[in-house]
Structure formats: C-alpha cells, structure tokens
Amino acid sequence: MRRVFAAVISCVVLWAGTPALALGQVAPPPRPSASAPQGAGTVRGTVVTGDDAAPQPLAGATVRVTVMPAGPPLGMFQPFSATTTADGTGRFEFTGVPAGVLSFMAEKTGYYNTGDGSDAGVQIELAMRRPTLEPGATLSDVSVRMSRAGVITGRVLLPSGEPAVRMMIEVLRQSSTPMGRRLVPAGRGSGGPTMTDDTGTFRAFGLPPGEYFLSARQNTMMMGPPGGRDDTRDGVATTYYPGTASVADAKPVAVRSGEETSGLVVSMLAARLSSVSGTVRVPAGLDPATLSVGISEIVPERLGSSMSMQRVQADRSFTVSRLTPGRYRLIARDQNGPVARHFASAEVEVTGEPLDGIVLDLRPGTAVTGRVVSTSGDPVPGSPAMRLQFTRADVDMMVPAPLPVAVNADGTFRVEGLFTKGHIRLFDGGPAANGAGWTFVGARLGDRDITDTPLEPEGEVMQVTLVVSTRPADVTGTVKWTPAPGAARPRVVVFPEDERRWHPQSIGVRVVPVGEDGRFAMRRLPPGERYLAVAVEGVTQADLWTTGVLAALKSAALPLRLDEGSVVNLTLTAVPPPAP
Amino acid sequence: MTFACRAALTVAAVLLTSSALTAQPAGQRTPPRMIQPGQQAPVGTAVLRGVVVAADTGAPIRRAQVRASAPGAQETRTTLTDEQGRFELRELAGGRYTITATKGGFITLQYGQRRPSEPGTPVDLAAGQTLEKLVVGLPRGSVITGRIVDEFGEPLTGAQVRVLRYGYAAGARRLLPAGQSDRTDDQGTFRVFGLPPGEYVVSATLNEDRGGAFRPRGGNADDEPATGYAPTYFPGTTNAGDAQRVTVGLGQEVSGIGFGLSLMPLAKVSGRVVGLAGLELAGMVMALPDDMVRQAMSPPRGAPVNADGTFELRGLAPGRYTLVVGGRGRRGGGEEPTGRASVAVSGVDLTGITIGLAPPAVVRGVVVTDTGAVGLRSAQVRVSFTPAQPAVADAFRNRGGGINSDFTFELGGITEPGYLRVTPPPGWFLKHILHDGRNVTDEPLVVEAGAQLTGVRVVLTQTASGVSGSVRDDRGNAVLDATVVVFPDDERQWVFQSRFIRTARPDTSGRFEIAGLPAGDDYRVVALQGLEDGQATDPVFLASLRERSERLSLAEGEAKALELRFRQ
C-alpha cells in the first residue's frame, strides 16, 4: 500500500521558505569565522522578571545575544550570535563577542520577552534595549527582562457536540503590516499551531498578554493519493471562536500575564467538502517528476497561509480533496534546487462541488542582467560581497523568489527566476564594518528610474543598470531626551522629503536606535539634497509605514543635506510619538 | 490479552459475522486488473457501503476515516463517515479490498481484524457488485499521559514523546513506534491516545530545534552545546532494554507516567571525506543512529562537507552511528560516489574519522521469459534493488524502477549487498535470477565498489505454483479468523523478504489464496490464529511452527487446493 506524504508548511511574513520534501535535519549554514576577531569583548548580565521597580532574577532561561554592525544595511551574511543558559541566580556570560550593537533574546517556558516600553498592547518586536559594545570591552549589568506569559485552553466540538479530535488550532493576533491590519500567528513561544486531543482539548501557551483570536480547522487538505480519490463530502469549516466562519465575527480572547484563560468552547461549523483537480501544462523537456503543486487558502484578513504541496503525477494530473468552501491559490513549480525555473498559478473558488479541468500553465521566469556603474557612469567592479537581491513588493510567499547573486568582477550580473514584481537592490554582504565604502543609490530600466518602483517581469530577459555611490554619506550625532523608567530609548529616523520615496523598500529611509549615551551613527547613506532627520520616541521601524506617521514626523524634522563623502554631525532633541 | 480486551473484540466479531453480506461464491472472481503507468484507471461500478460504530456501545462514529485499498487494481479510496456513521464508496473497480477505519480516540482497525497488529479480512469485490452492511467496530483507544521534567525537576516543554511496543520489523522483534507522538506543553504534560491495549515503552527526547532547549554551556560562538538530552525511557533510563513497560487495558487511561530527561554529554565527530581524485565533494555527512528506535525519534544530524573534505558533526549523543556521505541526498544521481563509516560515540569528541568515497556499483541485466513467449510489456515490469540490511534507514536509498523497452535494465547507486526485487505484471511470476550460470534468486548480490555486475538474467514465467482453499474447524465449518502460513523447511530461507514465506487470510467467502510461490517439495503449511504482522519472518517463531504444520510440496505450475484443519 502506498501512502501519501503531504508537506504542510506555514508561511509567515518573515519566512522565504522553499517547501522541502526531503527528510533529515540540515545543519545550520557555516558562520563566518568566530575565532576571536580583534576586539572580542565580554558581556555579562542577568535575566529578570517582575516589576521594573523591583526586578527579580529568573533562573534557567536560555539567552541569545546577536551582534549587528553599527554600519551599513544588512546583507546575506549571518550576524554573530551565541547562546548560553543563565544559572540559578539568573546570571549569564558571553565571551568572544565582537563589537557592535547588541540585542538579547531570552527563552523560558511560561515567559515571554518584555520589549521596550510597557506591557500595554501586544508586543510586535522582540527587540530589547540595545547597548553598544566597543571592541574588546566588557559590558556588565545587562538586564534581560521576561514576563510571565498567559495560556488559553478550551475544547473544540463538532457540529454534533462530540469532541473534535485532532483539529488544528491557531492563535492569531492583530498586527500592523505594510498591507494594513492583518491577523498573524501569535509568537513562537507557544510552539506554533497546536492540535486538539481525544477529548477535543487544546492548550496554547507562552502568550504575551493581549487579545487573541482562535481558529480551528481540519488537520489538512488532502493531496490526491496516486490513483486514488477522496470522496469525503461532509466536513467542518475553518471556524473562529466562538463558532463563526467569518473572521469579522470572531470574538477576541483576553490573555493576562501569568494567567490561564480557560473553559473556551469552539463549536465548529459543518461544511461541504469538495475537490479540485486538473493538469499541469509542462514545457517540452521537463520531467513531471520534478514538479510540485501547492495549494493555499486565501483569507484576506489573515497574513501567512498554510500551504500543502505534493508532487505532480506522472500523467501531469493533480487532485486536492477535502477542501472547505473558500478561495484558494494553486501553484505549480519545478523543484530543481532552491531556484524555480518554471512557475504557474491560478485562483479557484471552491463552493462545495468538485472542480475539474484546472490547467496550470508552467512558464519560465524572467532573467535580469545588467551592470553596475557609479554615479558618474563609470563601471564599478563587483565582488562576492556585492550582492543583488529582489525585495518583494507584495508579500506573496507562494511565488518563488530568485536567489541573491553576487556581481561579477567586471561589474556585470545575471539573476534568474523572477516571477513576480520586486524592487531590485544591491547590498553589501561582506563581513561587518569593513571599508568597502559603497552604497546602492538607484536602478534604471532603459531610461526609466525604477529605484522606487518594483520591476515587473516581462519576457525572457530584461536589462537593468544599477548605480552605486562610491562616496556615501554618514550621519552621526547625539540625541537629547528625558529617559523615563521602562521607556525605550528614542530612534533616529532619516528619510527623503520626496513622498514618493516613502515605502518599506525605500533605500532613502533609515532608522537606528540611540545608544545608552545618546549617541547614534548611520553609515553609508545615499547622498542627496533633500533629506529630513528626526529623533522620535516610541516608534519602531514597522510603525513608520502606518499611514500618516512619516507625514507627522516631517513637521518635526530637521532638513538635511547629504553631500557625497560627507560626515554630518547632528544634535537632535527627541520628540514624542505622533498621535494616532 | 485481558478479558476486557477479548470481550470488546468479541463484540466486534459478533457485529461482523451478523452483518448480511451479499458474498459471492468462490469461482466467479475477477482477476486483478493492471493499470499501465500514465493511463487513467477505468471507472468501475462496484460499491461498498457500511457503517463504523464504537465496538463497546454500537453507537455510530461520525467523521471516521474509511479507506478501501486494492493494490492489485490500483485503487485506493478514502471517505469520511456521515452523521449516522455511514460510508459509501462508489465507482470502484473489482478487486480484493482491505478496508480500514480510523478515528481519533479509537483504535484504527481493518475490517475483519480481531487483534492488534494482525491483518483483517480482505473483501472480495467483483466488478459491478454492491456490498452493503459492512460493519467496522472500533474499540476505544487507550491513553497514556504524564509529565516530562528536566534535570531540575522543572517541566520540560516541547519534548517529543513517543510510545513504542515490541513488534516485528525487518525480520526481527524490535521496539517499534506505536500511535501518534505528542509534544509536551508548558506544564510538561503529554497525552498519547488511540492506543490498542498492550504493553508499551514510553520514550521522550528533546530535539535541538525545538525552542533551544538543549543546554549550551558557556557563551562562546564556537562553543556548540556540550550537553544535551538523549532519548530517555520511562521510568528514566537511556537504555531501552531497561525500560519499564506500561500496560494499558482496552479503553483505559493510564496517567502519572512521568519521568525526567537526563543530560548527556554530546560529542563532536570530525574528520575527512577522502574522495576519488577530481570528484567534487559537495554534499553532507549524515549521522544515522544504528538503533531503529532512535532513528524514528529524531531527524538524523548532518553537517556539510567543506571544500577540503573536512567535516564536523556536532551534538551527537552517545551511541553507535553510521556516517553516510553521498552527494545530494535521496534525489541525487545514483552515480555519485558514496561512503560510510561506523563510529561509537561515548561523550568524548572524536577526531580523524576518515570516510572513503567510492563510486557506487552498477548491476546490469536483461529480463527474459522462460519459454521465449512474447506478450510481456516492458513497461509493466519493475526491477529494483533492496539492501540486505534494512535495519539502517539509509538516507540515500538505491533507486530502482522500470526496465528499458528492450528489456534490459541497469540499477545504479548500489553501495551495499542486497537483493534484486522483481515485480512482474499480473499473470507473470519470477522464475529465477541467473548470473554466470548460477541461480542467485535468493542470494544477496555483493558488488564491489565501482564495479559493474553484468549479465544478470531475470527469468519470468507464466506458470507458477500456488495454494488456495479454505480453513475448516473440527466440525467442518469454515473459519474466517485464521492466518495460513506457508514456509520452507530449510532454515536458511527463513530470511526477511524470503519468497518462500507467505501468509494469507481467508476472505469474506472463506477462501484464501497464495499465488506465485516457487515450486518446491519441502514446504510446510499451517493455519493458526493470532499471527502478528511480520511475525512469520521470525526464525524463532517458524521453528516453533514446524511441529504443528503439515508437509506441502508444489510442483512446477501446480495450483494446489488445500483444506486446512484449524485446531485451536
């Protein structure tokens, strides 16, 4: 008897995962040499919990430190990180830590990382206070704060009232995303989606205080077993607490620190299941055995979707069964390594009757070639550290993305496999804080400036010119602000005056946190005449893209001019966050 | 088996035998069809209908998954029962179906199954036939629940708990995973449900990628965890043989199965892959635990092979491992060189391990028929290679598959001794496999690294021996709950995947059939009850059967009819 293997992968905003059908653990990629680089320092601290006024040590947490260079935008290389366990008095120590901006994250069952600021509202970032470590120095008295997490537990019932066994429970919360407010999966402390047991009971733990939504759904959509069929008709719909199929009618559940919110009952709704089947149109020369078909439900209010993938049958057909009514995205792609050469997608509406005859027409991706030049038009040599990447305009994780490639020594490049629009970027993927001294300033398609517009794939090959400045600008200085207990330190935001360049993929927008001593440094910015600079409290990088925030900051900002190769020194006074 | 267990399963039996089946008399059975690869299966017209109930109360079970599978007709169909516990599968092709019902909280059972780990009763479905009132009674599953703690007695979150039971796999009695695994929650609690009654060993492990719960010492980046949690068995030993068995009765919940995971020293194993000159050493080294149980519990650890051939595996718990190198993994080309080495890890770092790469071996041959008759299509024949030592789950499985249109075949990627496995189309059987004039059908092929074994002849025939018939008790009544075992008297053939050891159960009309047995005059045959899946390949068990069995001889092409006496 042959069994069906279906890989179910949850794609969240920050993951660019290629569905992997191979078993076996893959070793983490090799890190850059961590043998004590010059200026390796020591960091000591304590993990604490409780009141800001009276913190108590917390034993046994696992602490991770990550070091970001204070300089240019991050590329592909792994930032330094190390992990250790705090002892019985909550103390921990790291040795051999390179210089840079430190961030800490701690993990302990039943607790979550308390971010900057108070506990009001749900934490979006796990960013901790960020001290700067000078080369070879010792930093003591770091305090990593954790708070007691909450638990949601309850039961899920079938329409008949019986316990719903092995249903997938997802805990979701509202979040600001570049696309607006969306429901996203709650933090990883809860260990991801959980399943109900034989009594229909579920338990979601590790939740920071806040409001959450619960969804219950059947375990998996079934990808057709070879030569087989699934005739199941009566099923259950994806149901939100307390018992609605509509996200808009879902009721939030409040979670308080250290408390268990229990006794919840989710009554699942009946739904008529059906199937979707069709064929994949395969270009000549492609072996169907290398192709996969994936399906994912489109729920507009949610971000991050589950995707089921399965190999295409030898006769190029595919079948997906046990689908609840809704809108779905079907994709087909080849699986030759991490880069997809061919891709197809279709949207289908499942209404409860079997759908047949879907054709997924595999198309090859577009290749992008070109060269890198300086602002004066001279060719610029490439290097393995000069890497080209596409940042996606829409967060559509089902479409494969081209892998970053390095620019060749002669300044030319070629990247394959562009299927969807994205902003083309060059970044420095080399080791931290080196003196490479260039920064990406623009991209051109023919004579059209595409620095701030995504490149739409068209045809087989497209020619693009990338411009770098070999004399970027630096901005440094100090910020004056009144520290308040529990409040995070302000951040400095530099952004262009031109509103057309206000978008998450803009190269003109930079945010850095302010050090304990009030100092900040931004390195290698694109030179330009019309920038604005402001220091602001309580605003994170993600908040900048909420409508109106940058406009509000504009009025409080200082005009700034960045000449090529200049180092501008500013003294700023932090302003309060803009009113919502 | 406890009384409660017997009682409940007897209820199931009563429900089965009292169902009115429109069974078809033997002799009008349709031979299984063969679907060519790439061809759409013709839509059949047979129908299976029935109901799934709880074995103890008879109450209908809703949303139970029912799967009907007939490998000979290439049919596998699944459905869920409705609000009254009923199921219907339409448009089926005729064939010999195994029907399985699954529902969370209940024991997964095949139609006709009386005991855990024993197959059920095949349902013989003719083309166009409608079989109704099939009743599958599912006994309630048992539950094992408890708490896992760390070395401080604190609850351990995210530990993978797996329940194991002794059973037969790969020709020997081993600990095998049972039921679904569970991960501990924030209170360290686990709950494994849906278990058949029996004796179990409870194991727990913590995988490194689950929330960083290995315990790194020291905070240097180079300092990978020096200690970690190795698989531990209730009540707290790292040796499966010393584990205390947990007995669960039918439908019983056993709680309080708690124990602590102990920290063990994890070691690094480093060394070098020595390749053939000029070959690209891309790929990974995988460390496969020799213990089948540990293989099931965590994914194997791997490390990349650097450009100079060196590698460093980290975080290995004590135990024996086979280090395997072989290019890009399961989907890699079968021509890539592979290598393996055995290491014993005991908490101390190992260095200087050399793994020699060697190109895999190739076996070439041709498929012919004994009479030279045509009518055999090359697309219907499959030839593959199975390692003789299946205990080590090889991450780089040898490929096998179809043969060429001129009936030649080539099997690449062979790295160890193994058997040629031939799957002929229906109506054809393997007669023998010859190499250099020798009959190598039941011998493992040993091929030197990089060597090519050519001139293998696979001979197929349309005449084969077989047995069929019925099992009757002392009063002459047909017995359905029995398993017929045919095995050779020669102990040397009591190997895993031997062609000479076959079992079958009578179908719903009381008839059993074993086709495709090689001719021989020193067979033994017996009908018995309570045979566990795979038990027939256990040499110890077969030796005990000799006395109870009758002699059987099969001439070439003889289809012998047997009436076996079943004694309790």
Side-chain angles (χ1 to χ4, degrees), chain B residues 485-550:
Chain B
V485 182
V486 172
F487 63 100
D489 198 48
D490 183 358
E491 296 165 358
R492 290 167 306 173
Q493 294 300 336
W494 293 354
V495 293
F496 178 55
Q497 293 187 354
S498 165
R499 291 183 306 143
F500 303 94
I501 303 176
R502 297 281 294 277
T503 64
R505 283 176 68 85
D507 62 21
T508 43
S509 54
R511 188 174 180 282
F512 72 88
E513 176 186 289
I514 302 176
L517 274 169
D521 57 6
D522 72 337
Y523 278 110
R524 305 198 75 87
V525 63
V526 65
L528 42 77
Q529 215 174 41
L531 184 75
E532 275 185 52
D533 217 6
Q535 196 175 12
T537 56
D538 180 11
V540 172
F541 178 72
L542 289 178
S544 73
L545 283 187
R546 267 212 186 101
E547 292 175 4
R548 304 168 52 181
S549 56
E550 301 167 14

Side-chain angles (χ1 to χ4, degrees), chain B residues 101-112:
Chain B
T102 308
K103 170 77 180 178
F106 290 86
I107 300 171
T108 297
L109 223 59
Q110 288 183 12
Y111 174 77

Side-chain angles (χ1 to χ4, degrees), chain B residues 167-186:
Chain B
Y168 288 92
R173 207 166 155 71
R174 303 168 196 272
L175 266 183
L176 303 171
Q180 308 252 9
S181 63
D182 191 22
R183 270 179 45 211
T184 54
D185 61 16
D186 57 320

